[in-house]
Amino acid sequence: MDTVIRKISQDITQQEYEYIKEAGEIIRAGGLVAFPTETVYGLGGNALDKNASARIYAAKGRPSDNPLIVHISDMDMLDELAKDIPEQAYALATLFWPGPLTIVLKKKDIIPDETTGGLDTVAIRMPDNDIALSFIKEAKVPIAAPSANLSGRPSTTTALHVWDDLSGRIDMILDGGAVDIGVESTIVDLTDEEPVILRPGYVNEDMLKQVCDTVLRDQTLDDMTRTDIKPKAPGMKYRHYAPTGELVIVSGDAHKTVEKINELARQHDESVTAVVTTEENKDLYNYGKVICIGTRKDPLSISHSLYDVLRQMDDYGMKYIYMEAFYDNVLGDAIMNRLKKASGGHIIYV
Ligand code: TXA
Ligand code: MG
């Protein structure tokens, strides 16, 4: 299959809108289109068509028990897809949609089991990106979309990343440039008594508390060593976002972190060893390929580049990758969650 790329600017010219309509037609005909959102690129298909969902799993090489997020462009679609919707869901949607928040609700029968990996719940979100919203509107159906990467690889934050992973496997890529946030949406489950965060993202616990009195966290988020409990988001059980080389995260006092990373890096051949750091520390490393991911003053600069940097590690053939931990009040939870997954839980505390 030939994969067509259509460049779309954020203002969306008339000609570009025609391409978006073309993408909508592909969806209605059962095809697959990758599209930008504010978090990462999505790999879209018709959420109401079980064959389209099957094609998404096949294109990604993803296990079919891992449900897809359903993307909508207006609030009416929410009531068509979910039932027994609690007031809290409307309150969260009003505050955060369009935006990087996914809400898990009880599903209506209109959504095939293939889309939700056999679950009786559905994860729904309205993305904050005009290209994505126009695309969903023109498709005239809700769009099931996982992140547009091959299963296990880092998510995609540019059209080029999507091309690298999925060209020849999907019909079209809408190229809207680099995404803003760079890590996937927060997932909150509202099907129990209390809201539960299943995956941390840009909308953090404090922000959710503007609407919810209590917010719980899926137990497996804070203790990856627990094998006796399953994460409630099936996708969270897989190793994820991972570069091919060995990734180790070093966490703790800034000075000791630099010392430890320099020591660890020196144990390997310099040509296949990388250090991932920030503006603040970049001059303190003197061995291996030193990559600056952003500045600690702006957590978004780090989340924005995270997957690009992890992908570069593969492009450069790096076998040993040492990376500083990133904690901050806003995005620290989301970034560290991805780094824990990408490193297979390999964190050294200094
Ligand atoms: O930012 C995002 O959410 C991106 C963009 C494209 O919207 N999408 C994304 O999709 O990250 P994906 O498929 O890579 O991750 C979806 C996660 C998986 O961990 C999956 O198990 C979980 O959401 N999930 C989906 N439906 C669920 C449900 N009904 N109950 C619990 N978890 C669910
Ligand atoms: Mg994903």
Side-chain angles (χ1 to χ4, degrees), residues 159-208:
L160 187 61
H161 294 161
V162 180
W163 176 261
D164 286 344
D165 275 21
L166 299 174
S167 65
R169 293 168 169 257
I170 62 176
D171 299 282
M172 185 184 271
I173 301 171
L174 293 174
D175 176 357
V179 302
D180 294 329
I181 296 175
V183 294
E184 302 82 350
S185 61
T186 306
I187 303 178
V188 61
D189 183 350
L190 294 186
T191 61
D192 265 336
E193 310 268 286
E194 311 270 18
V196 187
I197 296 177
L198 306 187
R199 178 175 72 181
Y202 182 85
V203 176
N204 61 31
E205 229 167 289
D206 287 342
M207 290 156 81
L208 291 170

Short mmCIF file of all heavy atoms in Angstrom, two decimals, residues 159-208:
data_model
loop_
_atom_site.label_atom_id
_atom_site.label_comp_id
_atom_site.label_asym_id
_atom_site.label_seq_id
_atom_site.Cartn_x
_atom_site.Cartn_y
_atom_site.Cartn_z
N ALA A 159 5.27 13.91 11.81
CA ALA A 159 4.82 13.06 10.70
C ALA A 159 5.95 12.15 10.22
O ALA A 159 5.71 11.03 9.76
CB ALA A 159 4.30 13.94 9.56
N LEU A 160 7.18 12.63 10.34
CA LEU A 160 8.32 11.81 9.92
C LEU A 160 8.45 10.56 10.80
O LEU A 160 8.73 9.46 10.30
CB LEU A 160 9.61 12.65 9.99
CG LEU A 160 10.86 11.97 9.43
CD1 LEU A 160 10.70 11.65 7.95
CD2 LEU A 160 12.10 12.86 9.63
N HIS A 161 8.22 10.72 12.11
CA HIS A 161 8.21 9.54 12.98
C HIS A 161 7.17 8.53 12.50
O HIS A 161 7.41 7.34 12.46
CB HIS A 161 7.83 9.90 14.42
CG HIS A 161 8.81 10.78 15.14
ND1 HIS A 161 8.45 11.50 16.27
CD2 HIS A 161 10.12 11.06 14.93
CE1 HIS A 161 9.50 12.17 16.71
NE2 HIS A 161 10.52 11.93 15.91
N VAL A 162 5.98 9.05 12.15
CA VAL A 162 4.89 8.16 11.71
C VAL A 162 5.32 7.45 10.44
O VAL A 162 5.14 6.23 10.28
CB VAL A 162 3.59 8.95 11.45
CG1 VAL A 162 2.47 8.01 11.01
CG2 VAL A 162 3.15 9.73 12.70
N TRP A 163 5.90 8.21 9.53
CA TRP A 163 6.36 7.64 8.26
C TRP A 163 7.36 6.50 8.53
O TRP A 163 7.27 5.42 7.93
CB TRP A 163 6.98 8.74 7.40
CG TRP A 163 7.56 8.24 6.13
CD1 TRP A 163 8.87 7.97 5.87
CD2 TRP A 163 6.86 7.95 4.91
NE1 TRP A 163 9.02 7.52 4.59
CE2 TRP A 163 7.81 7.50 3.97
CE3 TRP A 163 5.51 8.02 4.53
CZ2 TRP A 163 7.47 7.11 2.67
CZ3 TRP A 163 5.17 7.64 3.24
CH2 TRP A 163 6.13 7.19 2.32
N ASP A 164 8.31 6.76 9.44
CA ASP A 164 9.33 5.74 9.74
C ASP A 164 8.69 4.43 10.21
O ASP A 164 9.14 3.36 9.87
CB ASP A 164 10.27 6.24 10.86
CG ASP A 164 11.25 7.29 10.34
OD1 ASP A 164 11.40 7.40 9.10
OD2 ASP A 164 11.85 8.00 11.18
N ASP A 165 7.64 4.53 11.02
CA ASP A 165 7.03 3.32 11.59
C ASP A 165 5.97 2.69 10.70
O ASP A 165 5.83 1.48 10.67
CB ASP A 165 6.37 3.66 12.95
CG ASP A 165 7.35 3.62 14.11
OD1 ASP A 165 8.56 3.74 13.86
OD2 ASP A 165 6.90 3.46 15.26
N LEU A 166 5.18 3.52 10.00
CA LEU A 166 3.93 2.99 9.44
C LEU A 166 3.78 3.16 7.92
O LEU A 166 2.73 2.80 7.38
CB LEU A 166 2.72 3.64 10.15
CG LEU A 166 2.63 3.37 11.66
CD1 LEU A 166 1.50 4.19 12.27
CD2 LEU A 166 2.42 1.89 11.95
N SER A 167 4.80 3.71 7.23
CA SER A 167 4.61 3.87 5.78
C SER A 167 4.44 2.50 5.15
O SER A 167 5.08 1.53 5.56
CB SER A 167 5.80 4.61 5.16
OG SER A 167 6.96 3.84 5.27
N GLY A 168 3.52 2.42 4.20
CA GLY A 168 3.20 1.14 3.56
C GLY A 168 2.14 0.36 4.32
O GLY A 168 1.62 -0.64 3.83
N ARG A 169 1.80 0.81 5.55
CA ARG A 169 0.82 0.07 6.36
C ARG A 169 -0.50 0.82 6.51
O ARG A 169 -1.47 0.28 7.02
CB ARG A 169 1.38 -0.15 7.77
CG ARG A 169 2.57 -1.08 7.81
CD ARG A 169 3.24 -1.00 9.17
NE ARG A 169 4.22 -2.05 9.31
CZ ARG A 169 4.02 -3.17 10.02
NH1 ARG A 169 2.91 -3.36 10.67
NH2 ARG A 169 4.96 -4.09 10.07
N ILE A 170 -0.48 2.13 6.17
CA ILE A 170 -1.69 2.95 6.34
C ILE A 170 -1.92 3.78 5.08
O ILE A 170 -1.01 3.91 4.25
CB ILE A 170 -1.58 3.86 7.59
CG1 ILE A 170 -0.41 4.86 7.45
CG2 ILE A 170 -1.38 3.03 8.83
CD1 ILE A 170 -0.31 5.85 8.61
N ASP A 171 -3.12 4.35 4.95
CA ASP A 171 -3.46 5.03 3.70
C ASP A 171 -2.90 6.45 3.63
O ASP A 171 -2.46 6.89 2.58
CB ASP A 171 -4.99 5.08 3.55
CG ASP A 171 -5.57 3.69 3.49
OD1 ASP A 171 -5.47 3.06 2.43
OD2 ASP A 171 -6.08 3.21 4.52
N MET A 172 -2.98 7.18 4.74
CA MET A 172 -2.61 8.59 4.68
C MET A 172 -2.04 9.08 6.01
O MET A 172 -2.37 8.57 7.07
CB MET A 172 -3.87 9.42 4.33
CG MET A 172 -3.59 10.89 4.13
SD MET A 172 -5.10 11.83 3.83
CE MET A 172 -5.24 11.72 2.07
N ILE A 173 -1.15 10.08 5.89
CA ILE A 173 -0.68 10.80 7.08
C ILE A 173 -1.03 12.27 6.89
O ILE A 173 -0.65 12.87 5.88
CB ILE A 173 0.86 10.67 7.26
CG1 ILE A 173 1.28 9.20 7.38
CG2 ILE A 173 1.32 11.48 8.48
CD1 ILE A 173 2.80 8.98 7.35
N LEU A 174 -1.76 12.85 7.83
CA LEU A 174 -1.98 14.30 7.83
C LEU A 174 -0.82 14.90 8.62
O LEU A 174 -0.68 14.65 9.83
CB LEU A 174 -3.32 14.66 8.49
CG LEU A 174 -4.57 14.19 7.74
CD1 LEU A 174 -5.82 14.48 8.57
CD2 LEU A 174 -4.69 14.84 6.36
N ASP A 175 0.04 15.64 7.92
CA ASP A 175 1.25 16.18 8.54
C ASP A 175 0.97 17.58 9.07
O ASP A 175 0.94 18.55 8.30
CB ASP A 175 2.38 16.20 7.50
CG ASP A 175 3.66 16.84 8.06
OD1 ASP A 175 3.65 17.31 9.21
OD2 ASP A 175 4.66 16.86 7.31
N GLY A 176 0.75 17.69 10.37
CA GLY A 176 0.47 18.99 10.98
C GLY A 176 1.68 19.53 11.73
O GLY A 176 1.52 20.37 12.62
N GLY A 177 2.87 19.03 11.43
CA GLY A 177 4.07 19.49 12.12
C GLY A 177 4.23 18.80 13.47
O GLY A 177 3.50 17.85 13.79
N ALA A 178 5.18 19.29 14.27
CA ALA A 178 5.45 18.68 15.58
C ALA A 178 4.30 18.98 16.54
O ALA A 178 3.73 20.07 16.50
CB ALA A 178 6.76 19.20 16.15
N VAL A 179 3.96 18.02 17.38
CA VAL A 179 2.87 18.22 18.35
C VAL A 179 3.35 19.14 19.48
O VAL A 179 4.55 19.41 19.59
CB VAL A 179 2.41 16.88 18.96
CG1 VAL A 179 1.95 15.92 17.87
CG2 VAL A 179 3.51 16.25 19.81
N ASP A 180 2.43 19.59 20.34
CA ASP A 180 2.80 20.52 21.41
C ASP A 180 3.32 19.80 22.66
O ASP A 180 4.42 20.05 23.11
CB ASP A 180 1.57 21.35 21.85
CG ASP A 180 1.12 22.26 20.74
OD1 ASP A 180 1.98 22.69 19.95
OD2 ASP A 180 -0.09 22.52 20.64
N ILE A 181 2.50 18.90 23.20
CA ILE A 181 2.81 18.37 24.54
C ILE A 181 3.84 17.24 24.48
O ILE A 181 4.80 17.23 25.23
CB ILE A 181 1.51 17.90 25.24
CG1 ILE A 181 0.59 19.11 25.47
CG2 ILE A 181 1.83 17.21 26.56
CD1 ILE A 181 -0.76 18.76 26.04
N GLY A 182 3.62 16.28 23.61
CA GLY A 182 4.63 15.25 23.41
C GLY A 182 4.46 13.99 24.23
O GLY A 182 5.12 12.99 23.95
N VAL A 183 3.64 13.98 25.27
CA VAL A 183 3.29 12.72 25.95
C VAL A 183 1.76 12.55 25.90
O VAL A 183 1.03 13.52 25.81
CB VAL A 183 3.78 12.63 27.41
CG1 VAL A 183 5.30 12.60 27.48
CG2 VAL A 183 3.24 13.77 28.25
N GLU A 184 1.33 11.29 25.96
CA GLU A 184 -0.07 10.97 25.75
C GLU A 184 -0.97 11.55 26.84
O GLU A 184 -0.51 11.86 27.94
CB GLU A 184 -0.28 9.44 25.72
CG GLU A 184 0.52 8.72 24.65
CD GLU A 184 1.96 8.44 25.07
OE1 GLU A 184 2.41 8.98 26.11
OE2 GLU A 184 2.63 7.71 24.34
N SER A 185 -2.27 11.58 26.53
CA SER A 185 -3.26 12.17 27.43
C SER A 185 -3.32 11.46 28.79
O SER A 185 -2.98 10.28 28.90
CB SER A 185 -4.65 12.10 26.78
OG SER A 185 -5.00 10.74 26.55
N THR A 186 -3.79 12.19 29.78
CA THR A 186 -4.13 11.61 31.08
C THR A 186 -5.36 10.73 30.88
O THR A 186 -6.30 11.14 30.21
CB THR A 186 -4.52 12.74 32.06
OG1 THR A 186 -3.46 13.70 32.08
CG2 THR A 186 -4.80 12.21 33.45
N ILE A 187 -5.35 9.53 31.46
CA ILE A 187 -6.57 8.70 31.40
C ILE A 187 -7.16 8.62 32.80
O ILE A 187 -6.48 8.22 33.75
CB ILE A 187 -6.28 7.26 30.91
CG1 ILE A 187 -5.60 7.29 29.52
CG2 ILE A 187 -7.56 6.44 30.85
CD1 ILE A 187 -5.23 5.92 28.99
N VAL A 188 -8.45 8.99 32.92
CA VAL A 188 -9.13 8.89 34.21
C VAL A 188 -10.37 8.01 34.04
O VAL A 188 -11.15 8.17 33.11
CB VAL A 188 -9.44 10.29 34.81
CG1 VAL A 188 -10.36 11.10 33.93
CG2 VAL A 188 -9.99 10.19 36.20
N ASP A 189 -10.49 7.04 34.95
CA ASP A 189 -11.59 6.08 34.89
C ASP A 189 -12.71 6.55 35.80
O ASP A 189 -12.50 6.73 37.01
CB ASP A 189 -11.04 4.71 35.36
CG ASP A 189 -12.09 3.62 35.28
OD1 ASP A 189 -13.27 3.92 35.04
OD2 ASP A 189 -11.71 2.44 35.45
N LEU A 190 -13.89 6.74 35.22
CA LEU A 190 -15.04 7.19 36.03
C LEU A 190 -16.10 6.09 36.16
O LEU A 190 -17.26 6.38 36.43
CB LEU A 190 -15.68 8.43 35.40
CG LEU A 190 -14.85 9.72 35.38
CD1 LEU A 190 -15.69 10.88 34.87
CD2 LEU A 190 -14.29 10.05 36.76
N THR A 191 -15.72 4.84 36.00
CA THR A 191 -16.72 3.77 36.06
C THR A 191 -16.87 3.20 37.47
O THR A 191 -17.72 2.35 37.72
CB THR A 191 -16.39 2.62 35.09
OG1 THR A 191 -15.11 2.07 35.44
CG2 THR A 191 -16.35 3.11 33.65
N ASP A 192 -16.02 3.64 38.41
CA ASP A 192 -16.15 3.20 39.81
C ASP A 192 -16.66 4.35 40.66
O ASP A 192 -16.88 5.45 40.15
CB ASP A 192 -14.78 2.76 40.34
CG ASP A 192 -14.61 1.26 40.20
OD1 ASP A 192 -15.65 0.57 40.14
OD2 ASP A 192 -13.46 0.79 40.14
N GLU A 193 -16.78 4.11 41.95
CA GLU A 193 -17.25 5.15 42.87
C GLU A 193 -16.38 6.41 42.80
O GLU A 193 -16.87 7.52 42.72
CB GLU A 193 -17.18 4.65 44.32
CG GLU A 193 -17.82 3.30 44.56
CD GLU A 193 -19.26 3.45 44.98
OE1 GLU A 193 -19.48 3.85 46.14
OE2 GLU A 193 -20.17 3.18 44.17
N GLU A 194 -15.06 6.18 42.85
CA GLU A 194 -14.12 7.31 42.86
C GLU A 194 -13.33 7.32 41.56
O GLU A 194 -12.98 6.27 41.02
CB GLU A 194 -13.08 7.11 43.99
CG GLU A 194 -13.68 6.78 45.34
CD GLU A 194 -13.98 8.01 46.16
OE1 GLU A 194 -14.05 9.11 45.57
OE2 GLU A 194 -14.14 7.87 47.38
N PRO A 195 -13.02 8.53 41.05
CA PRO A 195 -12.20 8.61 39.83
C PRO A 195 -10.79 8.04 40.06
O PRO A 195 -10.22 8.26 41.13
CB PRO A 195 -12.12 10.10 39.53
CG PRO A 195 -12.83 10.81 40.62
CD PRO A 195 -13.40 9.83 41.58
N VAL A 196 -10.28 7.33 39.08
CA VAL A 196 -8.95 6.73 39.20
C VAL A 196 -8.10 7.13 37.99
O VAL A 196 -8.53 6.97 36.85
CB VAL A 196 -9.02 5.18 39.22
CG1 VAL A 196 -7.63 4.59 39.53
CG2 VAL A 196 -10.04 4.68 40.22
N ILE A 197 -6.90 7.64 38.26
CA ILE A 197 -5.96 7.92 37.16
C ILE A 197 -5.32 6.62 36.72
O ILE A 197 -4.69 5.92 37.52
CB ILE A 197 -4.86 8.91 37.61
CG1 ILE A 197 -5.45 10.26 37.98
CG2 ILE A 197 -3.81 9.08 36.51
CD1 ILE A 197 -4.45 11.27 38.50
N LEU A 198 -5.51 6.28 35.45
CA LEU A 198 -4.90 5.04 34.92
C LEU A 198 -3.57 5.33 34.23
O LEU A 198 -2.72 4.46 34.12
CB LEU A 198 -5.85 4.36 33.92
CG LEU A 198 -7.27 4.07 34.38
CD1 LEU A 198 -8.00 3.24 33.33
CD2 LEU A 198 -7.27 3.34 35.72
N ARG A 199 -3.45 6.56 33.71
CA ARG A 199 -2.19 6.95 33.06
C ARG A 199 -2.01 8.45 33.30
O ARG A 199 -2.89 9.24 32.96
CB ARG A 199 -2.27 6.66 31.55
CG ARG A 199 -1.01 7.09 30.79
CD ARG A 199 -1.05 6.69 29.31
NE ARG A 199 -2.00 7.50 28.54
CZ ARG A 199 -2.25 7.34 27.26
NH1 ARG A 199 -1.64 6.38 26.58
NH2 ARG A 199 -3.12 8.12 26.64
N PRO A 200 -0.87 8.87 33.88
CA PRO A 200 -0.68 10.31 34.10
C PRO A 200 -0.35 11.03 32.79
O PRO A 200 0.26 10.46 31.90
CB PRO A 200 0.51 10.37 35.07
CG PRO A 200 1.22 9.08 34.93
CD PRO A 200 0.24 8.07 34.39
N GLY A 201 -0.75 12.29 32.69
CA GLY A 201 -0.48 13.10 31.50
C GLY A 201 -0.47 14.56 31.89
O GLY A 201 -0.33 14.90 33.07
N TYR A 202 -0.66 15.43 30.92
CA TYR A 202 -0.58 16.87 31.14
C TYR A 202 -1.61 17.35 32.17
O TYR A 202 -1.34 18.22 32.99
CB TYR A 202 -0.79 17.60 29.80
CG TYR A 202 -0.66 19.08 29.91
CD1 TYR A 202 0.58 19.69 29.83
CD2 TYR A 202 -1.79 19.89 30.09
CE1 TYR A 202 0.70 21.06 29.95
CE2 TYR A 202 -1.68 21.25 30.20
CZ TYR A 202 -0.43 21.84 30.14
OH TYR A 202 -0.31 23.19 30.25
N VAL A 203 -2.81 16.77 32.11
CA VAL A 203 -3.84 17.14 33.12
C VAL A 203 -3.50 16.34 34.38
O VAL A 203 -3.79 15.15 34.48
CB VAL A 203 -5.25 16.80 32.61
CG1 VAL A 203 -6.29 17.09 33.69
CG2 VAL A 203 -5.58 17.61 31.35
N ASN A 204 -2.86 17.00 35.34
CA ASN A 204 -2.33 16.26 36.49
C ASN A 204 -3.35 16.20 37.63
O ASN A 204 -4.45 16.76 37.55
CB ASN A 204 -0.98 16.85 36.91
CG ASN A 204 -1.10 18.30 37.33
OD1 ASN A 204 -2.14 18.73 37.85
ND2 ASN A 204 -0.06 19.08 37.11
N GLU A 205 -2.96 15.51 38.70
CA GLU A 205 -3.85 15.27 39.83
C GLU A 205 -4.46 16.57 40.39
O GLU A 205 -5.65 16.66 40.64
CB GLU A 205 -3.05 14.57 40.93
CG GLU A 205 -3.73 13.35 41.48
CD GLU A 205 -2.79 12.52 42.33
OE1 GLU A 205 -1.87 11.89 41.77
OE2 GLU A 205 -2.98 12.51 43.55
N ASP A 206 -3.61 17.58 40.56
CA ASP A 206 -4.10 18.85 41.11
C ASP A 206 -5.16 19.47 40.21
O ASP A 206 -6.15 20.05 40.68
CB ASP A 206 -2.94 19.86 41.25
CG ASP A 206 -2.04 19.48 42.41
OD1 ASP A 206 -2.48 18.69 43.26
OD2 ASP A 206 -0.89 19.97 42.44
N MET A 207 -4.94 19.38 38.90
CA MET A 207 -5.92 19.95 37.96
C MET A 207 -7.25 19.20 38.04
O MET A 207 -8.32 19.80 38.02
CB MET A 207 -5.34 19.95 36.53
CG MET A 207 -4.21 20.94 36.34
SD MET A 207 -3.10 20.49 34.98
CE MET A 207 -4.00 21.09 33.58
N LEU A 208 -7.17 17.86 38.16
CA LEU A 208 -8.41 17.06 38.25
C LEU A 208 -9.18 17.41 39.52
O LEU A 208 -10.41 17.36 39.54
CB LEU A 208 -8.07 15.56 38.24
CG LEU A 208 -7.53 15.01 36.92
CD1 LEU A 208 -7.02 13.58 37.10
CD2 LEU A 208 -8.61 15.04 35.82
#
